[in-house]
């Protein structure tokens, strides 16, 4: 229950913050389009990292990296 | 591994190339793929295996497709091809106290090809060769020994379609190894709002796994199954011309067999009445993961990426993860990335250092213990497009090479007299990765 409250609170703050923002115009997006500003610049690396970490740690998920399971030890 | 070159003339002895590193083997695969498919007098490996037999038909066809894109010039701007190779090595088992670690060599080929103005197709194929992946246990002495090499093959097919400001994607895939089969489906829809400043994405996926046991004399009935369903929702927002942020939540429900069939648990191990049993985990697990990400561009041609994840599941495992990545252009074509990842985890409700016969879920799974971990590393990303052009190589609009080295280490927290220090402490791993990416 606490988790859902946290998620809702974060989401509300996020959306409330967005509501007061000025829109970034297309001609202002040069830096956002730079490869080093992408949320996932290297999807293959992200998938490799997720694979290693989820087989070494008890937590997994959240970063949107899809894939099948494995019996990796 | 050795590679024997073609004979140039009758009677001439072929040259033998020793491929001592994984990088040289990967390069040989990439360079020789077309010859292999044409069934010509190709170089061959000393054990007699052709390239096609060595790595399989699928990746060779994918490599040929990439060559085709280059040679025929039929590629669109959004067509991509990438090869990634990774070597992973750690020093300890997370299950058994005195067992050695794991070494794995993994590579992945991915192709994305536009088939219409609004639709693209994606393919990926990977191979993961793991040594010391399982340990067989002598039920009397609990001694451990290596089980040798295991190989995991995985493949995926994806379709991506855009209508106006809405993007749809669907993926299916599978992975195969000697004791684990998995098939999965996933789909997602993402819609842009506010002149593409806001993106809302919803994703769903489902995986069906079959688990087998390689333990000698295992009397249980295999395969056992596990079904996993995941739902994810995310919001991405351009906050300023230099800042972008995203928030997302994933809920995962797993039902079925979730222990490790080869793991043997020593019960009441410190007493004279010790006994051995198979590992048992609860058959349902509900996971929740919330992630907040912020990327900020910096005026000296750098960027800082920060992410935080809060995780909690129905087994009692809770964790906090903070990730930081710093990117810096060293020149127009060379980017340096430094990273740090800080992770802290609490133990599962049923995880105990010394399992006893009264435990409902006896386990030695070190992933469920209380510990912290740290990951740090460096990566170089080189845009080789100009250099290739100067050398007269025309293989698309953009060529990227990358090389990274990460270190990952765990440290056990000592905060509770019963839930402390799992079977291994202080695991340390080294990860090296090499990649090639091309856009056409």
């Amino acid at each position: 229950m606490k988790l859902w409250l946290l998620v809702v609170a974060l989401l509300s703050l996020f959306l409330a913050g967005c509501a007061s923002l000025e829109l970034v115009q297309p001609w202002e997006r040069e830096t956002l389009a730079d490869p080093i500003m992408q949320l996932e610049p290297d999807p293959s690396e992200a998938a490799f990292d997720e694979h290693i970490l989820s087989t070494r740690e008890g937590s997994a998920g959240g970063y949107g990296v899809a894939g099948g399971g494995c019996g990796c030890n | 591994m050795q590679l024997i070159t073609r004979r140039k003339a009758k009677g001439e002895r072929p040259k033998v190339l020793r491929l001592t590193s994984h990088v040289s083997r990967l390069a040989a695969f990439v360079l020789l793929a077309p010859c292999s498919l044409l069934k010509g007098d190709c170089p061959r490996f000393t054990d007699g295996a052709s390239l096609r037999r060595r790595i399989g038909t699928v990746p060779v066809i994918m490599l040929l497709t990439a060559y085709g894109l280059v040679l025929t010039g039929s590629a669109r701007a959004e067509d991509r091809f990438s090869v990634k190779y990774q070597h992973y090595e750690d020093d300890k088992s997370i299950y058994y106290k005195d067992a050695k670690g794991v070494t794995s060599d993994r590579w992945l080929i991915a192709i994305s090809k536009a088939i219409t103005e609004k639709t693209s197709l994606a393919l990926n194929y990977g191979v993961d060769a793991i040594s010391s992946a399982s340990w067989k246990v002598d039920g009397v002495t609990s001694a451990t020994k290596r089980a040798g090499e295991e190989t995991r093959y995985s493949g995926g097919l994806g379709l991506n379609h855009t209508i106006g400001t809405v993007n749809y994607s669907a993926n299916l895939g599978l992975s195969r190894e000697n004791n684990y089969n998995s098939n999965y489906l996933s789909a997602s829809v993402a819609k842009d709002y506010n002149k593409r400043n806001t993106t809302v994405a919803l994703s769903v996926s489902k995986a069906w796994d079959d688990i087998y046991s390689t333990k000698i004399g295992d009397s249980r009935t295999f395969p056992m199954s596990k079904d996993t369903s995941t739902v994810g929702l995310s919001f991405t927002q351009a906050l300023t011309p230099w800042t972008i942020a995203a928030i997302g939540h994933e809920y995962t429900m797993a039902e079925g067999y979730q222990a490790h069939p080869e793991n043997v648990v020593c019960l009441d191990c410190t007493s004279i009445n010790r006994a051995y049993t198979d590992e048992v985990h609860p058959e349902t697990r509900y996971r929740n993961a919330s992630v907040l990400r912020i990327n900020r561009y910096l005026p000296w041609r750098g960027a800082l990426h920060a992410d935080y994840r809060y995780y909690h599941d129905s087994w009692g495992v809770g964790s906090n993860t903070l990730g930081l990545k710093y990117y810096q252009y060293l020149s127009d074509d060379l980017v340096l990335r430094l990273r740090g990842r800080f992770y802290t985890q609490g133990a599962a409700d049923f995880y105990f250092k010394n399992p006893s016969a009264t435990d409902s879920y006896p386990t030695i799974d070190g992933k469920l213990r209380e510990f912290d971990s740290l990951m740090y590393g460096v990566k170089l990303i080189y845009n080789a497009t100009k250099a290739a052009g100067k050398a007269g190589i025309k293989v698309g609009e953009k060529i990227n090479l990358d090389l990274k080295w990460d270190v990952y280490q765990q440290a056990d927290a000592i905060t509770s007299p019963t839930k402390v220090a799992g079977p291994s402490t202080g695991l340390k791993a080294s990860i090296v990765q090499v990649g090639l990416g091309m856009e056409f």
Side-chain angles (χ1 to χ4, degrees), chain A residues 1-7 57-63, chain B residues 248-254 284-291 308-321 343-349 368 419:
Chain A
M1 191 61 187
K2 285 178 184 174
L3 175 69
W4 286 105
L5 286 173
L6 178 69
V7 171
E57 297 174 347
S59 313
Y63 298 101
Chain B
H249 183 80
E250 270 184 20
Y251 173 72
T252 302
M253 179 176 68
T284 56
R285 190 177 192 183
Y286 305 107
R287 298 171 178 258
N288 282 286
S290 303
V291 171
Y308 167 73
R309 177 179 70 177
Y310 174 76
Y311 171 93
H312 186 263
D313 68 33
S314 61
W315 288 4
V317 176
S319 73
N320 293 282
T321 310
Y343 175 86
T344 179
Q345 171 184 311
D349 296 335
L368 303 178
K419 295 182 180 181

Side-chain angles (χ1 to χ4, degrees), chain B residues 13-301:
Chain B
R13 292 175 67 87
K15 291 180 181 176
V16 176
L17 304 175
R18 294 181 187 280
L19 306 179
T20 53
S21 71
H22 294 289
V23 175
S24 63
R25 292 175 194 177
L26 182 66
F29 290 151
V30 172
L31 295 172
L32 300 178
C35 181
S36 177
L37 272 203
L38 295 174
K39 300 182 180 179
D41 181 18
C42 298
R44 57 190 169 79
F45 296 98
T46 45
D47 62 359
S50 68
L51 179 72
R52 198 164 43 248
R53 277 187 55 198
R54 173 71 70 176
I55 63 174
T57 302
V58 174
V60 175
I61 289 174
M62 292 174 71
L63 286 169
L64 194 75
T65 306
Y67 278 103
L69 290 172
V70 173
L71 296 177
T72 63
S74 65
R76 292 168 187 267
E78 56 270 43
D79 293 343
R80 291 184 176 87
F81 168 74
S82 68
V83 182
K84 188 79 83 182
Y85 167 78
Q86 176 180 273
H87 178 77
Y88 170 94
E89 195 166 337
D90 65 27
D91 60 352
K92 291 184 180 74
S93 161
I94 58 169
Y95 303 111
Y96 295 106
K97 189 176 180 182
D98 299 320
K100 292 181 179 177
V102 171
T103 300
S104 98
D105 291 290
R106 186 178 189 202
W107 61 273
L108 180 73
I109 298 176
I111 290 178
S112 173
K113 170 86 178 115
I115 50 178
T116 71
E117 287 277 327
K118 296 177 178 178
T119 307
S120 65
L121 196 63
L123 283 168
N124 69 73
Y125 182 85
V127 175
D128 195 0
I130 310 153
S131 67
S132 235
S134 305
W135 292 268
K136 293 182 174 64
V137 176
D138 175 340
V140 178
T141 64
S142 194
T144 59
K145 61 181 180 181
R146 296 170 74 130
E149 275 212 356
E150 290 180 3
T151 305
R152 173 179 176 247
Y153 300 92
S154 63
L157 172 67
L159 192 65
N160 198 294
H161 185 65
T162 302
I163 302 174
T165 58
V166 185
N167 180 270
Y168 302 90
S169 75
N171 298 275
L172 60 90
L174 54 85
S175 72
R176 294 287 181 270
E177 55 195 294
N178 69 334
N179 61 347
Y180 207 100
N181 292 340
S182 179
N183 303 307
Y184 72 89
L185 286 173
S186 68
S188 68
V189 56
K191 180 168 172 54
D192 293 332
Y193 297 93
N194 299 330
K195 295 184 179 177
R196 297 186 185 274
N197 278 264
T198 307
T199 304
V200 180
L202 175 68
S203 62
V204 293
S205 68
K206 176 92 179 177
W208 298 267
D209 299 352
D210 286 326
I211 302 103
Y212 299 81
S213 173
T214 57
K215 193 163 68 179
I216 298 166
D218 199 326
S219 59
R220 293 170 293 175
T221 304
F222 285 94
M224 298 202 200
S225 64
K226 182 178 83 170
D227 291 353
T228 307
S229 306
T230 302
V231 180
L233 179 67
S234 70
F235 297 83
T236 304
Q237 176 70 38
L239 298 173
T240 74
W242 284 23
T243 312
I244 189 166
I247 188 167
H249 183 80
E250 270 184 20
Y251 173 72
T252 302
M253 179 176 68
E255 292 181 313
Y257 184 75
Q258 301 188 52
H260 299 267
E262 287 84 13
N263 281 0
V264 173
V265 183
C266 181
L267 301 173
D268 300 310
C269 222
T270 54
S271 79
I272 198 169
N273 297 320
R274 72 172 62 175
Y276 295 90
T277 185
D278 296 313
E279 186 175 74
V280 181
H281 287 169
E283 294 207 339
T284 56
R285 190 177 192 183
Y286 305 107
R287 298 171 178 258
N288 282 286
S290 303
V291 171
L292 175 65
R293 294 172 154 188
I294 296 177
N295 291 2
R296 170 75 178 175
Y297 195 83
L298 302 166
W300 48 87
R301 298 193 75 195

Side-chain angles (χ1 to χ4, degrees), chain A residues 3-4 6-7 10-11 14-15 18 21-25 28-29 31-32 34-42 44-45 47-73, chain B residues 84 86 88 90 95 106 128 133-134 152 175 177 180 182 184 194 196-197 235 237 239-242 247 249-250 260 285 287-288 290-291 293 295 297 305 307 309-311 319 327 329 337 339 341 343 345 367 373 379 404 408 410 433:
Chain A
L3 175 69
W4 286 105
L6 178 69
V7 171
L10 283 173
L11 201 57
F14 188 74
L15 293 176
C18 296
L21 290 171
E22 289 186 17
L23 290 181
V24 178
Q25 301 300 329
E28 296 177 315
R29 301 180 73 90
T31 52
L32 293 178
D34 192 300
I36 66 171
M37 278 295 285
Q38 304 310 302
L39 284 171
E40 207 61 83
D42 189 343
S44 296
E45 183 195 7
F48 277 27
D49 282 355
E50 175 72 6
H51 181 80
I52 287 174
L53 295 169
S54 65
T55 53
R56 297 287 172 273
E57 297 174 347
S59 313
Y63 298 101
V65 179
C70 76
C72 314
N73 289 324
Chain B
K84 188 79 83 182
Q86 176 180 273
Y88 170 94
D90 65 27
Y95 303 111
R106 186 178 189 202
D128 195 0
S134 305
R152 173 179 176 247
S175 72
E177 55 195 294
Y180 207 100
S182 179
Y184 72 89
N194 299 330
R196 297 186 185 274
N197 278 264
F235 297 83
Q237 176 70 38
L239 298 173
T240 74
W242 284 23
I247 188 167
H249 183 80
E250 270 184 20
H260 299 267
R285 190 177 192 183
R287 298 171 178 258
N288 282 286
S290 303
V291 171
R293 294 172 154 188
N295 291 2
Y297 195 83
H305 295 198
D307 65 75
R309 177 179 70 177
Y310 174 76
Y311 171 93
S319 73
Y327 291 80
Y329 276 100
R337 188 196 74 186
R339 80 178 300 187
R341 178 182 181 273
Y343 175 86
Q345 171 184 311
K367 296 194 294 294
S373 77
K379 181 178 181 181
K404 85 158 186 179
Y408 173 77
Q410 296 183 349
Q433 210 176 81

